[in-house]
Structures are given as structure tokens and as C-alpha cells.
Amino acid sequence: MENDSTFVAPEGVYSATEDHKPLAPTHVSPPPIYPTRIASVSVRFPAKQSVPGLGQLLGGSKDFWKDRPQQHQHQHQPASHPPLPVQDGVSVSSSETPDDGTSPDNPVPHSPQDLPHADHARSLFSSSPSSHGPSPKRRSARPKHNMRTTSSSFVTRIHGADGLARTLASKHGDVTYLFYTSAKNFYWSEAGVKAKEPLARIAFSAYPTCHDVNQATASHEHLDIIVGFQTGDLVWFDPVSLRYARINKQGRISSSPCTAVRWVPDSAHLFLVAHADGCIIVYDKDRDDGAFVPSAPTAPESTGEWNPLDSMFVTMPPWHHGHDGAAAASGREKDRDKEKAAKNPVSHWRVSQRAIVDFVFSPDVKYVAAIAEDGCLRVIDALAEQLMDCYAAYFGALTCVAWSPDGRFIITGGQDDLVNIFSPWEGRVIARCQGHSSFVSAVAFDDVRCDGRTYRFGSVGEDNKLLLWDFSSGILHRPKLQTSHHQRVSMSSTLSLALRRREGAADRSTLHLVPEGPLPKYHPAPSRNEVAVVQPVLVKQLESEQLLYAIAFLPRYLITAAKTGHVRLWVRPLVAHPRARSGATPRSANADAEDVG
């Protein structure tokens, strides 16, 4: 029987067995300005190990980390980005102490035939190092400050659970950690233990607005976490060692509030941050802040105004090796000095004139899907640093975005109470999902139940509804009125990304639809009668005064979170091994594009 703690989905019963609640305020607090965000990571503990944990560090020596051997940096060597030369100039260091182990090796030479800006971005975002040649090896640095002994007013309080050292030392096997925010606090908890208190709670003087955990470097001894704040500041820290470093300190690079942050998959160093001023900035955690002012966007022909619906504006920092062609003629010794002095940011993208709400990487790490308050979904080629396509929402702003595990579909939620399913290879929205009665807050694919033919995803909204959706590419029919002349023109204008992907292929059957000249990148929203409609397979109304704002799927749990930080874990029905993993493509995306719809 269903109640507030259970619901029945087509695959079985979900039961809420665990709640993580933030610290109750001791005074009347204002309503939450920034809703909670959640992130998770799974690490494996060896059968026998004795690693000092946060509790021991809180009472231990501040020199512990400095004397600790640095032989457990990564589970595997991720793809990294070669250092870039730097011009002499003023920079701001994120630490008062030198950082050993950060000197890079010689960078890999780049081919002159590469696209503009793509030479450095290629190694940035390519998930497979062998795709474009070997990547340079870099020793990853560790955060520089001890949170317990810091004199900075940015970190106001640290609290660790009682007996944390013994708790971590006794663990073995796979452990799933949860990280979530509430008000000015950042929480670290463990899933599946029903603990009365979190492993750690860190209070800041500013509101944390977003965070992400580096899956590539995570281990039982070390975690890399980036937290963004409403002041624009970024904190890179390791909760295990309780050490941290500040990036974009006091908004030196951008003072605009951070709205989303993502580590570049399989990179130990690079991450992207979206800001409320419509920009996305690429950072390297090992670099110091540089003196940087982005260029004002201009039209390609220097006439008229920059059109954010048709392009994005990229500013290369002065220390970028492509910024000044004269650098190639200078001596090798001078170039090496510049490389050592490379600063943040790595790159600066002006994407929209309105705030960027969120963004996600494609599974192959070649594209970024970004949504903004202007109601547009933008697909960005991260290798070439250029806009590929821009899709308008049916109504209002977009609020959330997710990319399918095989890369074929992008889903978005918005203020129009709809969830949209886009096919970036076809260049159109292929279905709208109706079921919410208020703004959609979050969407997420369930990797376990996506196999390349059928797809499962979930959504939550401000109507306090948890919805599960199933769709199959075979049952989604093509838009109506497709044979009309107007529709032929509309369809031809949405093939830009698909034709770029098919360049050089034998199948040119769609070329007769393409008008002469460059393809438009902006695609207005089609009317309701042109798009298929998907209904949810489950609607769960949760009785709560706290609005739902986050959802995530783990192998064993479905996670929901309220706006104020109340995190709930739902045990999933027993399932087989995942049929599709992130980044895996059961069939060619280009071949599948003709099957969709």
C-alpha cells in the first residue's frame, strides 16, 4: 500500500528508508535564497586500512598533510590540459605557501590545422586521451590551507561527527557519500547508515550555491570538491584532510554569483563554472588567479550587436599561447617561463545576456548543453568553443537539464511546467512531457533503466510531485504537417549539428533540404500540435511543506531533496546490472537519429 514513505512504480516498490536533515536554526531564519544542491560519489575502502579521518585531523597536527606521502593521487590517470604560456603581469595567489608538485611537463605540440581555440580545448574535454594523441602528465596538487587553523573569515565554523576517525578506519568495501547545501552550510554524509548527524558540517560566511565532486580522483583517502558561492568565490577542498584553497578570490575574475559548477569528466584539474552574468568560465584548480578582464562582445563584422542566439563570444586570456602570435618567435627559455606562470581563467565564454541556470557535459565530453533564464537551451561545441544550436522553450525560463547516458537525447524542465525531450542529432524537440502543475525543479536520467531503445528519467517540481517517465524512440512519431513547405524549411533549419556530425559520410539524402548559405542556429519552439506528448508512468505527490528541488539516481537509491536541504533516500527495487553506462553508445548516434521520431 502506498503512503508518504512508499510508492509503486512499474518495476516495483520504492521505500523511503533514510532522511538527512540540515541543522535546525536557533533563531528565526529568512526563507532560503539559494535552494539546496546535492552531489554524490562512491569510493572503495580496502579490507584493512587505517587512514586518519576528519575527526583526528580536527584534533591533530596542522603539519599532518605536509608530511603525508603523495602516492595515492588517482585511481587512474585522467586526461589533462597542457599548460599555457603567460605574459608578465600581476596575479593573486590562493595561498601564502608554495605548492610542491605542480610543475608541469613539456606540453604536447598541437597541429596547426586545428580549429581556432580547439588546440587547447581538444585535450581539455576529450574523455579518451588516445583520441588525439597522448596527454601530458601532471602531478596533481593538493589544497594548501588547513580549515581548522585558517585565519580567513570566509570559513566560519567546522564541525565533525564524534568518533569520525574510528568510523572511517573501520569501513571496507564500497561507500557512497552525499554532499548537500543548506543556507550557509555544506554537509558531508554517508548513504545507507541512518546516522543521526552528518560526517562533517562546514559553515561559510557566504551562501554556497553549487558544488561538484571529481569522480576521476575520488578515493577513500582523498576527495576533490569545488563549491561555488553567491559572491563568485570558489573553494576547492578535500573533506578528508580538511584542507582548502580559494579560487576567484573576492571575485577577482568574476564577481557574478556562481550558478553551476562541473568538473570536466576524466580531468583531475579542470572544471567549468557558470555565472549569473551569462558567462561560463574554464578554471584549472592548480593555477592562481590572474589579472583578467573579458573583452566586450562584438558582432563578427563589427557592425550591429552581438546576437547571443546565434553565437557565443570567447575571450582568450593574455597568457594563452594563441593570444599573441609573436610568442612563437621568442626563445624556448622565455616560453617555459610563461608556461610556469599560466593563470586562471583557462578560457572565458560569454554565452547569454541572462543568467546561466545550469549546464551538463555530453557523455563523450565533446559538447556542453547549457540553459539560461532567457528560455534557451544551447548546445556548445567545447572543442571548438563555439555555439552549435540554440533551442527556445515553449514558455518562460528553463530550470534544469540532463543528457542521456548514450548521448542521443537532452531533457530540460522549465517554468512552462513541461519537460522537453530534444534530439540534438535531429536538431529538434521530439516530445513534451506533461504531468507537472508548477515549475519543474530538476530532471535526471536513470542510467540503470536506459538501454538505447527505452529510457527512464525522473523529475520533481514545485508542485511537490515526483514523476517517473518512460519513453521509447520507436513510439515517438514525427511532427505533424511535415510535408508542408513551411515545415520543410523549418526542418532544414534544424539540421546544423546533424550535418556537421555527418560531414564526410556517404549518406547525403538530407542535403536537398538544406538552403543555401549558413544554417541558422536558433530554433524557435514548435507549436503543441507538432510535437508528440509523453505521459508519466508514475506520479507521486509528496506531503511536505518543503518544495522539492533536486533528484538523483544511484544504483541502490533514488534521492530527492527539498529546497531547504531535507534529503531523502528511497531504496530502489532489485534490478539487474546497468544496461547502459554513461558515455556508452549501444549504436551509432548518427544511425539512431533516423530511428527517432
Side-chain angles (χ1 to χ4, degrees):
M1 175 178 287
E2 288 198 18
N3 52 46
D4 192 46
S5 299
T6 61
F7 62 85
V8 181
E11 64 273 14
V13 178
Y14 288 72
S15 301
T17 61
E18 193 173 327
D19 290 274
H20 298 264
K21 297 182 179 181
L23 180 69
T26 57
H27 58 282
V28 178
S29 59
I33 303 175
Y34 299 98
T36 188
R37 298 289 185 94
I38 58 174
S40 64
V41 66
S42 293
V43 297
R44 172 163 296 227
F45 281 77
K48 292 182 180 180
Q49 56 86 32
S50 56
V51 180
L54 177 62
Q56 186 169 336
L57 288 167
L58 288 171
S61 169
K62 65 181 181 179
D63 297 325
F64 168 78
W65 185 263
K66 182 173 65 176
D67 301 330
R68 187 175 180 177
Q70 303 291 324
Q71 56 187 357
H72 51 265
Q73 303 302 327
H74 312 292
Q75 292 177 328
H76 64 278
Q77 177 64 36
S80 61
H81 166 51
L84 307 178
V86 64
Q87 291 181 345
D88 295 335
V90 180
S91 66
V92 176
S93 174
S94 59
S95 171
E96 300 105 358
T97 57
D99 187 15
D100 56 346
T102 58
S103 57
D105 297 336
N106 292 331
V108 173
H110 300 291
S111 170
Q113 290 89 354
D114 286 341
L115 292 171
H117 317 314
D119 49 355
H120 74 284
R122 189 179 302 280
S123 56
L124 266 177
F125 302 103
S126 297
S127 58
S128 175
S130 61
S131 300
H132 306 289
S135 296
K137 294 183 179 180
R138 290 173 55 185
R139 292 180 58 194
S140 181
R142 300 272 74 88
K144 304 165 187 177
H145 295 305
N146 189 312
M147 277 190 170
R148 178 178 176 271
T149 59
T150 183
S151 59
S152 172
S153 60
F154 199 79
V155 180
T156 58
R157 186 178 180 183
I158 304 159
H159 174 74
D162 296 335
L164 180 59
R166 295 189 303 272
T167 300
L168 295 181
S170 64
K171 293 190 179 301
H172 60 87
D174 294 331
V175 172
T176 298
Y177 290 137
L178 302 177
F179 302 93
Y180 56 98
T181 57
S182 179
K184 294 184 178 181
N185 298 308
F186 185 87
Y187 292 85
W188 173 28
S189 298
E190 181 183 350
V193 297
K194 299 182 180 180
K196 295 183 179 180
E197 59 180 355
L199 296 175
R201 177 176 61 88
I202 303 172
F204 296 95
S205 61
Y207 285 97
T209 57
C210 50
H211 61 280
D212 193 30
V213 187
N214 194 326
Q215 307 288 331
T217 62
S219 73
H220 69 284
E221 297 177 311
H222 166 70
L223 295 170
D224 283 314
I225 300 176
I226 292 290
V227 183
F229 294 83
Q230 104 276 8
T231 58
D233 291 78
L234 298 162
V235 168
W236 161 43
F237 83 105
D238 175 10
V240 179
S241 66
L242 208 67
R243 301 192 71 87
Y244 80 103
R246 289 177 66 181
I247 303 173
N248 190 29
K249 187 174 182 180
Q250 297 178 343
R252 180 173 180 84
I253 297 172
S254 175
S255 60
S256 178
C258 301
T259 57
V261 57
R262 306 279 183 188
W263 287 95
V264 175
D266 292 335
S267 173
H269 313 277
L270 295 154
F271 60 94
L272 273 63
V273 180
H275 290 271
D277 61 358
C279 296
I280 296 178
I281 303 178
V282 186
Y283 288 94
D284 188 324
K285 70 176 178 61
D286 296 339
R287 296 187 184 184
D288 295 328
D289 295 342
F292 173 77
V293 178
S295 303
T298 57
E301 294 82 14
S302 300
T303 59
E305 296 182 355
W306 167 61
N307 182 8
L309 303 180
D310 190 63
S311 65
M312 70 182 206
F313 190 81
V314 179
T315 301
M316 288 189 295
W319 41 85
H320 187 275
H321 64 280
H323 183 79
D324 187 0
S330 60
R332 292 183 178 180
E333 183 176 351
K334 184 178 180 180
D335 287 343
R336 283 195 296 267
D337 291 338
K338 288 186 177 183
E339 290 166 5
K340 293 179 181 179
K343 308 295 181 183
N344 274 320
V346 177
S347 189
H348 182 283
W349 305 346
R350 187 171 295 279
V351 177
S352 171
Q353 292 177 329
R354 301 287 300 276
I356 303 294
V357 177
D358 199 0
F359 67 92
V360 291
F361 282 97
S362 63
D364 60 6
V365 203
K366 294 179 180 178
Y367 300 98
V368 170
I371 57 173
E373 288 184 352
D374 61 3
C376 289
L377 163 68
R378 291 171 171 85
V379 179
I380 299 170
D381 186 335
L383 303 184
E385 296 183 287
Q386 63 182 6
L387 179 67
M388 301 295 288
D389 289 288
C390 180
Y391 305 93
Y394 185 74
F395 173 78
L398 294 175
T399 55
C400 47
V401 62
W403 210 310
S404 67
D406 59 4
R408 289 181 59 192
F409 302 105
I410 301 171
I411 55 175
T412 63
Q415 295 179 347
D416 52 12
D417 306 347
L418 297 172
V419 177
N420 296 301
I421 305 175
F422 293 88
S423 172
W425 313 124
E426 283 195 82
R428 65 183 180 96
V429 55
I430 61 171
R432 292 192 176 108
C433 306
Q434 298 179 351
H436 282 286
S437 56
S438 187
F439 294 176
V440 182
S441 304
V443 291
F445 276 97
D446 183 356
D447 291 10
V448 172
R449 299 193 175 276
C450 295
D451 61 5
R453 291 186 178 272
T454 59
Y455 298 81
R456 159 67 61 82
F457 64 91
S459 62
V460 295
E462 294 188 8
D463 52 8
N464 268 8
K465 290 180 182 177
L466 164 63
L467 273 61
L468 298 181
W469 313 80
D470 287 341
F471 77 94
S472 172
S473 59
I475 66 172
L476 296 178
H477 53 77
R478 293 189 179 277
K480 301 177 183 179
L481 308 176
Q482 185 173 334
T483 58
S484 69
H485 174 73
H486 173 75
Q487 185 65 22
R488 284 170 61 87
V489 175
S490 176
M491 286 292 291
S492 68
S493 70
T494 63
L495 294 173
S496 54
L497 179 57
L499 289 179
R500 286 183 178 91
R501 295 284 293 183
R502 294 178 181 176
E503 185 176 1
D507 181 12
R508 301 285 183 175
S509 60
T510 59
L511 290 182
H512 69 280
L513 294 173
V514 182
E516 296 182 0
L519 292 170
K521 298 178 181 179
Y522 176 72
H523 314 304
S527 63
R528 284 184 177 271
N529 63 351
E530 295 180 50
V531 180
V533 176
V534 175
Q535 299 294 335
V537 297
L538 174 122
V539 178
K540 176 62 176 178
Q541 181 72 55
L542 297 180
E543 300 297 332
S544 174
E545 297 180 356
Q546 302 179 3
L547 301 179
L548 292 177
Y549 254 81
I551 183 173
F553 289 93
L554 300 182
R556 293 183 57 192
Y557 301 101
L558 165 65
I559 303 177
T560 59
K563 187 174 184 178
T564 55
H566 181 184
V567 179
R568 173 170 282 192
L569 273 67
W570 305 77
V571 176
R572 296 161 57 106
L574 184 63
V575 295
H577 293 292
R579 293 174 289 182
R581 297 181 184 275
S582 179
T585 305
R587 295 194 298 163
S588 168
N590 291 339
D592 282 342
E594 280 128 310
D595 297 339
V596 180

